[in-house]
Amino acid sequence: MNSDILNIMQEKSTGFSKSHKRIAKYIADNSDKAAYMTADRLAKSIGVSESTVVRFAAEMGFGGYQKFKKALKEATKTQLNSVQRMEIACEKLGSSDILNSILKSDIAAIEKTLDTINKAEFEKSVSAISCAEKIYITGIRSAASLAEFAGFYLHLLFDNVRLINSTGADDLFEQMLSIGKNDVLIGISFPRYSKNTIRALEYAKKNGATVIGITDSTLSPIVHESDYCLIADSDTSSFVDSLVAPFSVIHALTLAVGIKNKEKMQCNFEKLEKIWDEYEVYDKK
């Protein structure tokens, strides 16, 4: 229902009372802002009572305003442009203790991810990565940092890791030309979802590779193209994406792969430590 909430609201509008029609019109015209408003604030913006807003959420089929708000947020978050995100961030945090608010928000995102992530999908992802002939990783724009993080640590374990850096679909396919059924592609994308990442997953799946998606919601287009999908909560209402929970999931994923391949990991790190000492990679003073 979440992805169709605005359409459903429009379809139901003919049967709404006058006050509910006002609420529906305001949300339709200002969905990007309304999705982040409390019931009280939304009521004041429209000129109705808070109880009227709560009843509107119930008439829409939700057991409370918070569930309605969450559905509206899901439906609109991929449509927010950078200007709208900046306005929402300034409105939400402009007069608050930003450091305190953001750190608490990130803690909440990790806790939510811990409660909802599919542990079986996680274990299957660990096994698929461990058994793969080649491991491809892609993440574009803000997700590029996540892809590089995964690539850096997996490369310490395996010599078959390929980080795909792409600005266009043509060179993306060139980098994945030989991907096949014994390979794995880890595709990472958060709103606004990259079309090239989706194309990469489609191409990998078409060629028989195992696809592991890392994204923010079961409604994400990444889910449809993935054999296994890890959902990590992410707040994309600001012009700076909160990717703390996705980083934690990738941290856990790479560590689990390392522990599953403990002997190989130990052997590689013994060699690396000698190289790092010989070439003075790290300052030991």
Side-chain angles (χ1 to χ4, degrees):
M1 181 177 182
N2 292 4
S3 59
D4 297 323
I5 188 170
L6 296 175
N7 290 331
I8 292 170
M9 188 171 64
Q10 187 172 358
E11 289 170 5
K12 287 191 170 199
S13 63
T14 53
F16 286 160
S17 64
K18 285 184 179 180
S19 58
H20 283 191
K21 283 181 179 178
R22 286 171 64 190
I23 295 171
K25 185 177 187 313
Y26 182 87
I27 292 174
D29 293 342
N30 305 276
S31 59
D32 56 315
K33 294 180 181 179
Y36 297 89
M37 288 182 174
T38 62
D40 177 60
R41 189 165 174 202
L42 180 60
K44 286 176 180 176
S45 298
I46 301 168
V48 297
S49 67
E50 184 177 350
S51 60
T52 301
V53 170
V54 173
R55 284 195 297 271
F56 175 82
E59 189 168 348
M60 282 291 296
F62 293 89
Y65 177 75
Q66 287 303 319
K67 290 183 178 180
F68 171 76
K69 179 180 170 182
K70 181 182 177 182
L72 186 60
K73 192 184 291 187
E74 284 286 339
T76 60
K77 66 182 178 180
T78 59
Q79 307 303 318
L80 295 175
N81 61 38
S82 56
V83 175
Q84 290 169 321
R85 288 183 179 195
M86 183 179 68
E87 288 175 351
I88 290 169
C90 291
E91 205 166 314
K92 282 172 62 179
L93 302 169
S95 60
S96 67
D97 179 344
I98 294 178
L99 178 62
N100 185 61
S101 297
I102 293 301
L103 265 59
K104 283 185 175 179
S105 175
D106 285 344
I107 290 169
I110 291 175
E111 289 177 342
K112 181 179 177 182
T113 300
L114 182 60
D115 289 340
T116 58
I117 196 166
N118 189 316
K119 306 294 196 304
E121 297 270 294
F122 180 86
E123 294 300 333
K124 288 175 183 176
S125 299
V126 171
S127 296
I129 293 168
S130 299
C131 298
E133 285 188 6
K134 290 192 290 291
I135 302 164
Y136 295 82
I137 307 170
T138 185
I140 298 171
R141 301 186 71 79
S142 63
S145 58
L146 294 165
E148 288 198 17
F149 181 76
F152 176 82
Y153 285 103
L154 287 174
H155 188 66
L156 296 178
L157 298 173
F158 307 109
D159 56 9
N160 60 346
V161 178
R162 185 162 188 176
L163 182 62
I164 301 169
N165 296 305
S166 176
T167 54
D170 51 353
D171 87 300
L172 180 144
F173 295 134
E174 289 167 9
Q175 293 177 71
M176 296 173 60
L177 188 63
S178 62
I179 195 168
K181 65 179 181 179
N182 296 319
D183 303 327
V184 162
L185 171 67
I186 302 172
I188 309 167
S189 190
F190 290 79
R192 299 186 279 178
Y193 306 109
S194 164
K195 285 187 176 181
N196 279 346
T197 302
I198 297 167
R199 291 186 184 110
L201 268 63
E202 289 173 347
Y203 181 78
K205 198 169 185 179
K206 182 180 177 181
N207 283 273
T210 299
V211 176
I212 299 169
I214 301 176
T215 190
D216 68 310
S217 167
T218 54
L219 299 175
S220 165
I222 298 300
V223 174
H224 179 68
E225 302 301 334
S226 302
D227 295 293
Y228 312 122
C229 199
L230 305 178
I231 306 296
D233 190 62
S234 173
D235 183 2
T236 55
S237 62
S238 167
F239 63 95
V240 180
D241 295 342
S242 173
L243 299 173
V244 172
F247 266 113
S248 290
V249 169
I250 292 170
H251 177 189
L253 184 65
T254 52
L255 187 57
V257 170
I259 291 171
K260 191 175 181 70
N261 298 270
K262 184 180 177 181
E263 290 184 8
K264 184 176 181 60
M265 179 174 67
Q266 187 171 350
C267 179
N268 283 3
F269 276 121
E270 285 173 356
K271 290 179 182 177
L272 285 167
E273 286 295 342
K274 290 178 182 178
I275 293 168
W276 292 338
D277 282 347
E278 182 180 351
Y279 291 95
E280 298 181 341
V281 172
Y282 296 110
D283 185 356
K284 289 195 170 184
K285 292 181 182 178

